[in-house]
Amino acid sequence: MMTPILLNEYRRVVFFTGAGMSAESGVPTYRGRGGIWAEYDWEEYACQDAFDTDPRKVLDFHEQRRAKVLACQPHAGHRHLATLQAAHPGVGIVTQNTDGMHQRAGAKSVVELHGSLWRIRCPRHGTMEDLASPAYARRDCPHCGTPLRPDITWFEDPVNAAVFEQARNLITQAELFVAVGTSAIVYPAAGLIPLAKQVGAQMVEVNVDDTEMSRLFLERVREPAGTALPELFLA
Ligand code: APR
């Protein structure tokens, strides 16, 4: 087992999280056992073409996901990252998740590479927060009546350039980079892992399995996020 890391020995730390970060809360991952994409075809539920073809079906799917996430609670790992970030100004959280669990655990600064289940957007009037209940408050833009779509980076969508730049800036300054619960196969997000290696960050992977990028990590913690994070990363 890895020796616990004292974060105050680092100026800049980035926790890079994926769906495995929320698995112990009961939020399904995308791949592996019980993965969402084994049950739902993303081409029918999570891409612009699907939305253009049948917005109701796509929004209904995302409302189901909102309901499932609302029924789950952040776990000790989410809470621990929020505590570390409150105690240490150099701790960044970059997530591929859209579930908002880091924020519900109290994290104040989270870079959401793939958007959020809790925002919806009009192509002309931008994004609007839509919190707290499974059902979207509205499905058409209050300004122009255009159908609203989830503010999520779907397959075949470009990642928001400003958000990606924010993530890159955090990672290029990281002295410690901790990947938590990601299969590291979806780009451009996955490309941030070799970037961290390239800038010389200490590399730690927290995952219950090996991934495509495990070879880039000096430390590979094969423990669930909810137990490994509080044990191994101390303020
Ligand atoms: N603790 C740590 N890791 C875990 C746990 C756990 N309790 N449970 C599962 N994992 C790991 C799995 O081994 C796997 O490597 O989490 C990873 C989940 O992988 P994916 O389901 O592929 O999720 P992610 O890497 O976030 O997917 C990236 O793909 O579908 C798109 O946009 C979606 O953001 C998502 C992106």
Side-chain angles (χ1 to χ4, degrees), residues 17-21 23-24 29-32 37 96-98 114 153 155 180-186 206-211 223-226:
T17 67
M21 177 76 217
E24 290 146 275
T29 58
Y30 292 98
R31 298 165 187 87
W37 302 137
Q96 299 170 85
N97 299 340
T98 60
H114 293 159
T153 305
F155 288 97
V180 187
T182 181
S183 58
I185 59 172
V186 172
V206 176
N207 197 313
V208 290
D209 285 331
D210 284 344
T211 69
E223 294 272 324

mmCIF file of all heavy atoms in Angstrom, residues 17-21 23-24 29-32 37 96-98 114 153 155 180-186 206-211 223-226, ligand 1:
data_model
loop_
_atom_site.group_PDB
_atom_site.id
_atom_site.type_symbol
_atom_site.label_atom_id
_atom_site.label_comp_id
_atom_site.label_asym_id
_atom_site.label_seq_id
_atom_site.Cartn_x
_atom_site.Cartn_y
_atom_site.Cartn_z
ATOM 1 N N THR A 17 -10.946 13.308 -12.023
ATOM 2 C CA THR A 17 -11.874 12.216 -11.666
ATOM 3 C C THR A 17 -12.762 11.791 -12.829
ATOM 4 O O THR A 17 -13.100 12.587 -13.709
ATOM 5 C CB THR A 17 -12.761 12.640 -10.476
ATOM 6 O OG1 THR A 17 -13.653 13.690 -10.850
ATOM 7 C CG2 THR A 17 -11.905 13.090 -9.289
ATOM 8 N N GLY A 18 -13.153 10.535 -12.770
ATOM 9 C CA GLY A 18 -14.074 9.942 -13.746
ATOM 10 C C GLY A 18 -15.211 9.256 -13.009
ATOM 11 O O GLY A 18 -15.352 9.375 -11.789
ATOM 12 N N ALA A 19 -16.002 8.519 -13.765
ATOM 13 C CA ALA A 19 -17.245 7.957 -13.225
ATOM 14 C C ALA A 19 -17.016 7.037 -12.029
ATOM 15 O O ALA A 19 -17.869 6.893 -11.154
ATOM 16 C CB ALA A 19 -17.980 7.206 -14.340
ATOM 17 N N GLY A 20 -15.827 6.413 -11.975
ATOM 18 C CA GLY A 20 -15.526 5.528 -10.840
ATOM 19 C C GLY A 20 -15.483 6.286 -9.527
ATOM 20 O O GLY A 20 -15.649 5.703 -8.458
ATOM 21 N N MET A 21 -15.301 7.613 -9.614
ATOM 22 C CA MET A 21 -15.276 8.446 -8.398
ATOM 23 C C MET A 21 -16.636 8.402 -7.718
ATOM 24 O O MET A 21 -16.745 8.485 -6.508
ATOM 25 C CB MET A 21 -14.927 9.900 -8.786
ATOM 26 C CG MET A 21 -14.949 10.876 -7.623
ATOM 27 S SD MET A 21 -13.524 10.736 -6.544
ATOM 28 C CE MET A 21 -14.296 11.033 -4.945
ATOM 29 N N ALA A 23 -18.900 5.843 -8.168
ATOM 30 C CA ALA A 23 -19.470 4.472 -8.168
ATOM 31 C C ALA A 23 -19.956 4.084 -6.766
ATOM 32 O O ALA A 23 -21.042 3.520 -6.609
ATOM 33 C CB ALA A 23 -18.421 3.481 -8.673
ATOM 34 N N GLU A 24 -19.167 4.407 -5.744
ATOM 35 C CA GLU A 24 -19.571 3.989 -4.383
ATOM 36 C C GLU A 24 -20.765 4.783 -3.862
ATOM 37 O O GLU A 24 -21.356 4.431 -2.844
ATOM 38 C CB GLU A 24 -18.399 4.140 -3.408
ATOM 39 C CG GLU A 24 -17.281 3.128 -3.647
ATOM 40 C CD GLU A 24 -15.937 3.703 -3.350
ATOM 41 O OE1 GLU A 24 -15.378 4.353 -4.259
ATOM 42 O OE2 GLU A 24 -15.427 3.513 -2.244
ATOM 43 N N THR A 29 -21.291 3.725 -13.497
ATOM 44 C CA THR A 29 -20.219 4.178 -14.405
ATOM 45 C C THR A 29 -20.736 3.993 -15.837
ATOM 46 O O THR A 29 -21.878 3.580 -16.048
ATOM 47 C CB THR A 29 -18.952 3.319 -14.184
ATOM 48 O OG1 THR A 29 -19.308 1.950 -14.414
ATOM 49 C CG2 THR A 29 -18.409 3.487 -12.769
ATOM 50 N N TYR A 30 -19.864 4.362 -16.797
ATOM 51 C CA TYR A 30 -20.300 4.253 -18.203
ATOM 52 C C TYR A 30 -19.930 2.894 -18.777
ATOM 53 O O TYR A 30 -20.620 2.345 -19.632
ATOM 54 C CB TYR A 30 -19.631 5.360 -19.027
ATOM 55 C CG TYR A 30 -20.146 6.722 -18.656
ATOM 56 C CD1 TYR A 30 -19.451 7.547 -17.780
ATOM 57 C CD2 TYR A 30 -21.380 7.163 -19.142
ATOM 58 C CE1 TYR A 30 -19.951 8.796 -17.412
ATOM 59 C CE2 TYR A 30 -21.888 8.406 -18.774
ATOM 60 C CZ TYR A 30 -21.162 9.211 -17.915
ATOM 61 O OH TYR A 30 -21.667 10.443 -17.545
ATOM 62 N N ARG A 31 -18.776 2.354 -18.319
ATOM 63 C CA ARG A 31 -18.264 1.086 -18.869
ATOM 64 C C ARG A 31 -18.041 0.114 -17.722
ATOM 65 O O ARG A 31 -18.131 0.493 -16.568
ATOM 66 C CB ARG A 31 -16.954 1.378 -19.635
ATOM 67 C CG ARG A 31 -17.190 2.318 -20.808
ATOM 68 C CD ARG A 31 -15.915 2.930 -21.374
ATOM 69 N NE ARG A 31 -16.295 3.924 -22.376
ATOM 70 C CZ ARG A 31 -16.563 5.207 -22.078
ATOM 71 N NH1 ARG A 31 -16.475 5.636 -20.831
ATOM 72 N NH2 ARG A 31 -16.935 6.071 -23.005
ATOM 73 N N GLY A 32 -17.757 -1.104 -18.083
ATOM 74 C CA GLY A 32 -17.570 -2.106 -17.017
ATOM 75 C C GLY A 32 -18.935 -2.552 -16.508
ATOM 76 O O GLY A 32 -19.978 -2.183 -17.043
ATOM 77 N N TRP A 37 -23.532 2.567 -20.825
ATOM 78 C CA TRP A 37 -23.525 2.322 -22.282
ATOM 79 C C TRP A 37 -23.751 0.863 -22.629
ATOM 80 O O TRP A 37 -23.913 0.510 -23.802
ATOM 81 C CB TRP A 37 -22.254 2.857 -22.913
ATOM 82 C CG TRP A 37 -22.015 4.333 -22.696
ATOM 83 C CD1 TRP A 37 -20.830 4.946 -22.374
ATOM 84 C CD2 TRP A 37 -22.992 5.395 -22.725
ATOM 85 N NE1 TRP A 37 -21.012 6.293 -22.230
ATOM 86 C CE2 TRP A 37 -22.324 6.609 -22.424
ATOM 87 C CE3 TRP A 37 -24.377 5.448 -22.978
ATOM 88 C CZ2 TRP A 37 -22.976 7.843 -22.374
ATOM 89 C CZ3 TRP A 37 -25.028 6.681 -22.927
ATOM 90 C CH2 TRP A 37 -24.340 7.854 -22.631
ATOM 91 N N GLN A 96 -14.542 14.574 -15.239
ATOM 92 C CA GLN A 96 -15.250 14.229 -16.478
ATOM 93 C C GLN A 96 -16.732 13.987 -16.156
ATOM 94 O O GLN A 96 -17.543 13.806 -17.049
ATOM 95 C CB GLN A 96 -14.664 12.962 -17.104
ATOM 96 C CG GLN A 96 -13.200 13.100 -17.482
ATOM 97 C CD GLN A 96 -12.600 11.767 -17.864
ATOM 98 O OE1 GLN A 96 -12.694 11.307 -18.996
ATOM 99 N NE2 GLN A 96 -11.974 11.109 -16.890
ATOM 100 N N ASN A 97 -17.049 13.964 -14.860
ATOM 101 C CA ASN A 97 -18.398 13.612 -14.440
ATOM 102 C C ASN A 97 -19.350 14.797 -14.591
ATOM 103 O O ASN A 97 -18.937 15.951 -14.508
ATOM 104 C CB ASN A 97 -18.403 13.131 -12.975
ATOM 105 C CG ASN A 97 -17.544 11.881 -12.806
ATOM 106 O OD1 ASN A 97 -17.265 11.177 -13.773
ATOM 107 N ND2 ASN A 97 -17.086 11.631 -11.591
ATOM 108 N N THR A 98 -20.592 14.473 -14.812
ATOM 109 C CA THR A 98 -21.629 15.522 -14.974
ATOM 110 C C THR A 98 -22.613 15.476 -13.802
ATOM 111 O O THR A 98 -23.608 16.180 -13.806
ATOM 112 C CB THR A 98 -22.433 15.267 -16.270
ATOM 113 O OG1 THR A 98 -23.065 13.974 -16.185
ATOM 114 C CG2 THR A 98 -21.537 15.296 -17.503
ATOM 115 N N HIS A 114 -16.984 17.821 -19.028
ATOM 116 C CA HIS A 114 -18.071 17.316 -19.879
ATOM 117 C C HIS A 114 -19.410 17.916 -19.523
ATOM 118 O O HIS A 114 -20.454 17.349 -19.841
ATOM 119 C CB HIS A 114 -18.121 15.775 -19.813
ATOM 120 C CG HIS A 114 -16.902 15.151 -20.438
ATOM 121 N ND1 HIS A 114 -16.492 13.866 -20.146
ATOM 122 C CD2 HIS A 114 -15.988 15.643 -21.309
ATOM 123 C CE1 HIS A 114 -15.390 13.600 -20.822
ATOM 124 N NE2 HIS A 114 -15.057 14.660 -21.544
ATOM 125 N N THR A 153 -21.319 17.561 -22.642
ATOM 126 C CA THR A 153 -20.503 17.285 -23.833
ATOM 127 C C THR A 153 -20.797 15.859 -24.261
ATOM 128 O O THR A 153 -20.276 14.904 -23.669
ATOM 129 C CB THR A 153 -19.006 17.452 -23.513
ATOM 130 O OG1 THR A 153 -18.809 18.760 -22.976
ATOM 131 C CG2 THR A 153 -18.150 17.277 -24.764
ATOM 132 N N PHE A 155 -21.045 12.581 -26.994
ATOM 133 C CA PHE A 155 -20.173 12.024 -28.034
ATOM 134 C C PHE A 155 -20.340 12.887 -29.286
ATOM 135 O O PHE A 155 -21.445 13.332 -29.589
ATOM 136 C CB PHE A 155 -20.586 10.581 -28.336
ATOM 137 C CG PHE A 155 -20.221 9.632 -27.226
ATOM 138 C CD1 PHE A 155 -21.155 9.273 -26.263
ATOM 139 C CD2 PHE A 155 -18.937 9.136 -27.116
ATOM 140 C CE1 PHE A 155 -20.825 8.413 -25.222
ATOM 141 C CE2 PHE A 155 -18.594 8.265 -26.076
ATOM 142 C CZ PHE A 155 -19.539 7.904 -25.137
ATOM 143 N N VAL A 180 -8.531 9.492 -10.642
ATOM 144 C CA VAL A 180 -9.411 8.696 -9.779
ATOM 145 C C VAL A 180 -10.599 8.196 -10.596
ATOM 146 O O VAL A 180 -11.407 8.979 -11.097
ATOM 147 C CB VAL A 180 -9.955 9.531 -8.600
ATOM 148 C CG1 VAL A 180 -10.718 8.629 -7.624
ATOM 149 C CG2 VAL A 180 -8.837 10.266 -7.865
ATOM 150 N N GLY A 181 -10.691 6.866 -10.748
ATOM 151 C CA GLY A 181 -11.908 6.285 -11.316
ATOM 152 C C GLY A 181 -12.183 6.651 -12.750
ATOM 153 O O GLY A 181 -13.332 6.915 -13.111
ATOM 154 N N THR A 182 -11.137 6.669 -13.587
ATOM 155 C CA THR A 182 -11.389 6.886 -15.007
ATOM 156 C C THR A 182 -10.717 5.789 -15.827
ATOM 157 O O THR A 182 -9.596 5.375 -15.558
ATOM 158 C CB THR A 182 -10.900 8.272 -15.482
ATOM 159 O OG1 THR A 182 -11.210 8.413 -16.886
ATOM 160 C CG2 THR A 182 -9.423 8.499 -15.263
ATOM 161 N N SER A 183 -11.439 5.364 -16.879
ATOM 162 C CA SER A 183 -10.887 4.329 -17.767
ATOM 163 C C SER A 183 -9.876 4.936 -18.740
ATOM 164 O O SER A 183 -9.201 4.233 -19.484
ATOM 165 C CB SER A 183 -12.032 3.665 -18.546
ATOM 166 O OG SER A 183 -12.740 4.661 -19.287
ATOM 167 N N ALA A 184 -9.782 6.246 -18.757
ATOM 168 C CA ALA A 184 -8.740 6.953 -19.535
ATOM 169 C C ALA A 184 -8.790 6.602 -21.020
ATOM 170 O O ALA A 184 -7.755 6.385 -21.658
ATOM 171 C CB ALA A 184 -7.360 6.628 -18.966
ATOM 172 N N ILE A 185 -10.009 6.520 -21.586
ATOM 173 C CA ILE A 185 -10.081 6.166 -23.012
ATOM 174 C C ILE A 185 -10.838 7.195 -23.851
ATOM 175 O O ILE A 185 -10.905 7.081 -25.063
ATOM 176 C CB ILE A 185 -10.747 4.786 -23.238
ATOM 177 C CG1 ILE A 185 -12.168 4.750 -22.676
ATOM 178 C CG2 ILE A 185 -9.900 3.670 -22.669
ATOM 179 C CD1 ILE A 185 -12.914 3.467 -23.050
ATOM 180 N N VAL A 186 -11.429 8.212 -23.190
ATOM 181 C CA VAL A 186 -12.219 9.189 -23.957
ATOM 182 C C VAL A 186 -11.418 10.484 -24.077
ATOM 183 O O VAL A 186 -11.073 11.107 -23.069
ATOM 184 C CB VAL A 186 -13.588 9.435 -23.290
ATOM 185 C CG1 VAL A 186 -14.322 10.584 -23.981
ATOM 186 C CG2 VAL A 186 -14.425 8.163 -23.360
ATOM 187 N N VAL A 206 -5.757 6.062 -8.847
ATOM 188 C CA VAL A 206 -6.649 5.361 -7.907
ATOM 189 C C VAL A 206 -7.750 4.734 -8.742
ATOM 190 O O VAL A 206 -8.585 5.431 -9.334
ATOM 191 C CB VAL A 206 -7.252 6.337 -6.869
ATOM 192 C CG1 VAL A 206 -8.253 5.616 -5.956
ATOM 193 C CG2 VAL A 206 -6.143 6.981 -6.030
ATOM 194 N N ASN A 207 -7.730 3.413 -8.855
ATOM 195 C CA ASN A 207 -8.705 2.716 -9.688
ATOM 196 C C ASN A 207 -8.752 1.268 -9.204
ATOM 197 O O ASN A 207 -7.741 0.718 -8.788
ATOM 198 C CB ASN A 207 -8.264 2.773 -11.163
ATOM 199 C CG ASN A 207 -9.418 2.446 -12.104
ATOM 200 O OD1 ASN A 207 -10.137 1.479 -11.889
ATOM 201 N ND2 ASN A 207 -9.600 3.278 -13.130
ATOM 202 N N VAL A 208 -9.939 0.664 -9.302
ATOM 203 C CA VAL A 208 -10.034 -0.727 -8.842
ATOM 204 C C VAL A 208 -9.439 -1.678 -9.882
ATOM 205 O O VAL A 208 -9.187 -2.849 -9.602
ATOM 206 C CB VAL A 208 -11.498 -1.103 -8.519
ATOM 207 C CG1 VAL A 208 -11.967 -0.362 -7.268
ATOM 208 C CG2 VAL A 208 -12.418 -0.827 -9.694
ATOM 209 N N ASP A 209 -9.276 -1.193 -11.105
ATOM 210 C CA ASP A 209 -8.692 -2.029 -12.175
ATOM 211 C C ASP A 209 -7.536 -1.304 -12.853
ATOM 212 O O ASP A 209 -7.374 -0.088 -12.696
ATOM 213 C CB ASP A 209 -9.767 -2.289 -13.268
ATOM 214 C CG ASP A 209 -10.792 -3.322 -12.814
ATOM 215 O OD1 ASP A 209 -10.409 -4.193 -11.999
ATOM 216 O OD2 ASP A 209 -11.959 -3.227 -13.244
ATOM 217 N N ASP A 210 -6.777 -2.060 -13.691
ATOM 218 C CA ASP A 210 -5.792 -1.408 -14.561
ATOM 219 C C ASP A 210 -6.542 -0.649 -15.654
ATOM 220 O O ASP A 210 -7.680 -0.963 -15.985
ATOM 221 C CB ASP A 210 -4.901 -2.483 -15.207
ATOM 222 C CG ASP A 210 -3.877 -3.025 -14.215
ATOM 223 O OD1 ASP A 210 -3.665 -2.364 -13.171
ATOM 224 O OD2 ASP A 210 -3.329 -4.100 -14.461
ATOM 225 N N THR A 211 -5.863 0.376 -16.225
ATOM 226 C CA THR A 211 -6.465 1.107 -17.343
ATOM 227 C C THR A 211 -5.450 1.175 -18.475
ATOM 228 O O THR A 211 -4.297 0.785 -18.327
ATOM 229 C CB THR A 211 -6.806 2.566 -16.919
ATOM 230 O OG1 THR A 211 -5.553 3.249 -16.723
ATOM 231 C CG2 THR A 211 -7.649 2.611 -15.660
ATOM 232 N N GLU A 223 -7.614 0.389 -5.070
ATOM 233 C CA GLU A 223 -8.588 0.463 -3.966
ATOM 234 C C GLU A 223 -9.747 1.333 -4.436
ATOM 235 O O GLU A 223 -9.522 2.219 -5.282
ATOM 236 C CB GLU A 223 -7.946 1.211 -2.773
ATOM 237 C CG GLU A 223 -6.785 0.511 -2.114
ATOM 238 C CD GLU A 223 -7.272 -0.420 -1.012
ATOM 239 O OE1 GLU A 223 -8.254 -0.071 -0.333
ATOM 240 O OE2 GLU A 223 -6.695 -1.506 -0.907
ATOM 241 N N PRO A 224 -10.934 1.168 -3.878
ATOM 242 C CA PRO A 224 -12.028 2.080 -4.243
ATOM 243 C C PRO A 224 -11.732 3.511 -3.790
ATOM 244 O O PRO A 224 -11.095 3.708 -2.763
ATOM 245 C CB PRO A 224 -13.236 1.504 -3.494
ATOM 246 C CG PRO A 224 -12.829 0.185 -2.955
ATOM 247 C CD PRO A 224 -11.330 0.144 -2.909
ATOM 248 N N ALA A 225 -12.235 4.466 -4.547
ATOM 249 C CA ALA A 225 -11.945 5.881 -4.255
ATOM 250 C C ALA A 225 -12.377 6.280 -2.844
ATOM 251 O O ALA A 225 -11.665 7.015 -2.144
ATOM 252 C CB ALA A 225 -12.668 6.752 -5.281
ATOM 253 N N GLY A 226 -13.515 5.756 -2.412
ATOM 254 C CA GLY A 226 -14.088 6.191 -1.123
ATOM 255 C C GLY A 226 -13.229 5.825 0.069
ATOM 256 O O GLY A 226 -13.240 6.515 1.087
HETATM 257 N N1 APR B 1 -13.106 3.486 -7.230
HETATM 258 C C1 APR B 1 -12.192 3.791 -8.195
HETATM 259 N N2 APR B 1 -12.335 3.458 -9.505
HETATM 260 C C2 APR B 1 -13.458 2.795 -9.842
HETATM 261 C C3 APR B 1 -14.450 2.425 -8.902
HETATM 262 C C4 APR B 1 -14.238 2.805 -7.551
HETATM 263 N N3 APR B 1 -15.121 2.503 -6.577
HETATM 264 N N4 APR B 1 -15.450 1.753 -9.564
HETATM 265 C C5 APR B 1 -15.087 1.732 -10.871
HETATM 266 N N5 APR B 1 -13.900 2.338 -11.045
HETATM 267 C C6 APR B 1 -13.186 2.577 -12.301
HETATM 268 C C7 APR B 1 -13.327 1.509 -13.371
HETATM 269 O O1 APR B 1 -12.330 0.510 -13.198
HETATM 270 C C8 APR B 1 -13.076 2.327 -14.644
HETATM 271 O O2 APR B 1 -11.688 2.389 -14.944
HETATM 272 O O3 APR B 1 -13.748 3.734 -12.864
HETATM 273 C C9 APR B 1 -13.567 3.722 -14.280
HETATM 274 C C10 APR B 1 -14.875 4.112 -14.931
HETATM 275 O O4 APR B 1 -14.643 4.201 -16.314
HETATM 276 P P1 APR B 1 -15.795 4.776 -17.271
HETATM 277 O O5 APR B 1 -17.117 4.188 -16.901
HETATM 278 O O6 APR B 1 -15.282 4.646 -18.674
HETATM 279 O O7 APR B 1 -15.894 6.327 -16.874
HETATM 280 P P2 APR B 1 -15.008 7.541 -17.363
HETATM 281 O O8 APR B 1 -13.577 7.157 -17.508
HETATM 282 O O9 APR B 1 -15.343 8.680 -16.491
HETATM 283 O O10 APR B 1 -15.623 7.834 -18.834
HETATM 284 C C11 APR B 1 -15.120 8.979 -19.508
HETATM 285 O O11 APR B 1 -16.796 8.649 -21.221
HETATM 286 O O12 APR B 1 -18.984 8.168 -21.768
HETATM 287 C C12 APR B 1 -18.059 9.174 -21.645
HETATM 288 O O13 APR B 1 -18.493 11.435 -21.183
HETATM 289 C C13 APR B 1 -18.497 10.170 -20.593
HETATM 290 O O14 APR B 1 -17.183 11.373 -18.952
HETATM 291 C C14 APR B 1 -17.417 10.082 -19.531
HETATM 292 C C15 APR B 1 -16.222 9.591 -20.325
#
